[in-house]
Amino acid sequence: MSAWLVRIGSVLVLALIGFWLVWATEWADTEVPTPASGEARTNSFYAAQAMLRELGMQVVKRDDLDAMPPAQARLVLASGHWDMFPERERRLREWVEQGGHLVMPSHLVDSDLLESWIPLVKEKPAAADEKKEPPVPRTRLPRSPFAEPARDADCRAVTEPETVPASFAGGRGFRICTWASAARYRPADKQQPPLWAVAGKRGTEAIRVQAGRGTVTVMPLGLWHNEGLTRADNALLTAAAVQARSGAEVWFVAEETREPFLRWLWHKGWAALIVGMLALAAALWRAAMRFGPLMPSVGTHRRSMAEQVRGTAGFLHMHGADALHAAQLRALHESAGRQLRGYARRDASARAAAIAQATGLEPAMLVRAMAARARHAGAMSVDLEVLETARRRLDAHGPFMPSSDSSSTS
């Protein structure tokens, strides 16, 4: 019995939960736009370009305005940085006056560079004749968060005036859906009437005027975008604004995109970059810390007797015996200066006495060997032997190291 009661209670609870869900929730269909893919993700004018191709026009997509279209072509200029170089305004004006057809959004017309030669001025909004009383506020019911937003709230009806030729045989009226332009234009005073125009309750929406042998067309930019072209009559008005004709050429300049500087520098000057990098690598290599000497160090082995004899003979042949004696005496003085304290301050006899005391040689023999005098070959060999013997005995004793007692005494 208790099991049946539990089952019946569970069914009632589930039924109550289902009834509450149906009563407290609302189910509605919501349109989810399909995200763009391919070129349409990066090109906001992709739909307009595809439509014009289907109409037989030759569509050229440009990333800059460095070059101008051919004569009689159409140029859709939507880049806000088209005038980044001063000479572009002059070339654009010459191209239009020679027969080009320029199509541009209204916000680009408000430029000092264009106002000087495009015969358009801003329309002034019509002032109200009488002050209207403020409307009485109406109480509105709160809007459901699930209610669909008002569709086509930005749509409006426009017509071509009777003073301009109709773009299509079906009629002069259009229904466009796009955001309203902040500024609207009309022909300047004492200028020719417009060649084509579209107007609505808010004023002129699109206009075309003569400029030299060419034309300038101003229209809302939102008509061209991918998400707006298929709404209402936006495609028809776009074709009318660009004067679509089979075989005509139309250029799109929607942005100013430049190749990255480093990539451009590599494409234009790769040879100079390679040479510069090699020179930099060589300079860094020369300035870097070395891991070892430039060449292996020569061993400290003594030369053989044959090498000594050949070297001495070559020295005698080039400089003579007196030069050899002077070199031998200089070597003895250098050795004595290292081994004997105060050697450099002594005179010749005192030096000889100090060397004789340190080496055990006779002082008179050292004085005779160290003296600068004329010698015959036998005397020269004896004196050189005495000087070399004294030098070797001094070097064998090691350098002079004064004791602490002598240092304190001095």
Side-chain angles (χ1 to χ4, degrees), residues 201-226:
K201 294 181 179 180
R202 302 178 181 179
T204 304
E205 297 281 354
I207 188 172
R208 179 183 302 125
V209 293
Q210 190 80 32
R213 295 198 302 269
T215 62
V216 177
T217 303
V218 178
M219 62 177 297
L221 178 63
L223 299 179
W224 295 89
H225 288 175
N226 294 336

Side-chain angles (χ1 to χ4, degrees), residues 36-46 61 226 254-255 257:
S37 60
E39 185 182 352
R41 297 179 59 185
T42 56
N43 182 7
S44 59
F45 296 91
Y46 177 77
K61 182 178 179 293
N226 294 336
E255 57 186 355
T257 56

Side-chain angles (χ1 to χ4, degrees), residues 4-315:
W4 280 101
L5 290 177
V6 171
R7 293 176 183 177
I8 293 173
S10 301
V11 171
L12 291 176
V13 170
L14 292 176
L16 290 174
I17 293 175
F19 176 77
W20 179 83
L21 288 175
V22 173
W23 175 77
T25 58
E26 180 181 353
W27 297 84
D29 295 333
T30 303
E31 293 184 3
V32 179
T34 303
S37 60
E39 185 182 352
R41 297 179 59 185
T42 56
N43 182 7
S44 59
F45 296 91
Y46 177 77
Q49 294 168 7
M51 179 193 70
L52 296 178
R53 287 192 187 97
E54 292 295 327
L55 294 177
M57 300 189 71
Q58 301 177 13
V59 178
V60 179
K61 182 178 179 293
R62 298 281 298 186
D63 294 331
D64 52 61
L65 200 60
D66 291 342
M68 299 306 299
Q72 303 299 324
R74 283 75 166 154
L75 172 60
V76 178
L77 183 60
S79 172
H81 304 285
W82 70 271
D83 55 349
M84 61 188 305
F85 299 108
E87 70 276 2
R88 286 187 175 181
E89 184 271 337
R90 176 185 57 80
R91 293 191 288 108
L92 179 63
R93 178 176 182 174
E94 292 176 354
W95 175 77
V96 172
E97 293 179 347
Q98 292 173 4
H101 301 286
L102 175 62
V103 182
M104 59 193 312
S106 57
H107 69 273
L108 291 184
V109 182
D110 190 13
S111 170
D112 296 337
L113 298 177
L114 299 178
E115 287 181 348
S116 60
W117 58 275
I118 294 182
L120 290 173
V121 294
K122 287 185 178 181
E123 283 186 346
K124 294 183 179 180
D129 296 336
E130 299 178 0
K131 295 183 179 180
K132 297 183 178 179
E133 297 181 358
V136 179
R138 294 181 299 175
T139 304
R140 294 186 178 181
L141 296 176
R143 187 177 179 183
S144 172
F146 302 100
E148 293 186 2
R151 301 186 60 181
D152 299 340
D154 57 347
C155 296
R156 54 196 177 275
V158 295
T159 57
E160 296 174 328
E162 295 293 338
T163 56
V164 301
S167 300
F168 304 100
R172 293 178 173 269
F174 299 92
R175 185 170 179 267
I176 62 174
C177 298
T178 183
W179 56 81
S181 300
R184 295 175 174 80
Y185 293 86
R186 62 175 177 82
D189 297 335
K190 299 181 181 180
Q191 296 291 335
Q192 298 179 1
L195 302 178
W196 175 77
V198 172
K201 294 181 179 180
R202 302 178 181 179
T204 304
E205 297 281 354
I207 188 172
R208 179 183 302 125
V209 293
Q210 190 80 32
R213 295 198 302 269
T215 62
V216 177
T217 303
V218 178
M219 62 177 297
L221 178 63
L223 299 179
W224 295 89
H225 288 175
N226 294 336
E227 61 273 10
L229 186 69
T230 56
R231 299 180 60 190
D233 296 329
N234 289 3
L236 291 176
L237 193 63
T238 298
V242 81
Q243 305 178 64
R245 302 290 185 273
S246 178
E249 186 170 346
V250 55
W251 283 31
F252 280 81
V253 180
E255 57 186 355
E256 285 285 339
T257 56
R258 297 282 174 175
E259 188 177 21
F261 177 73
L262 294 180
R263 189 181 303 171
W264 174 85
L265 195 63
W266 174 257
H267 289 165
K268 298 296 183 180
W270 60 271
L273 286 177
I274 291 178
V275 173
M277 288 188 292
L278 290 177
L280 179 61
L284 293 176
W285 176 75
R286 287 181 59 86
M289 182 180 296
R290 302 184 182 277
F291 295 100
L294 296 177
M295 59 183 302
S297 57
V298 180
T300 57
H301 306 290
R302 298 184 61 181
R303 293 186 297 178
S304 63
M305 183 59 69
E307 291 177 342
Q308 182 70 28
V309 171
R310 285 194 296 268
T312 304
F315 187 86

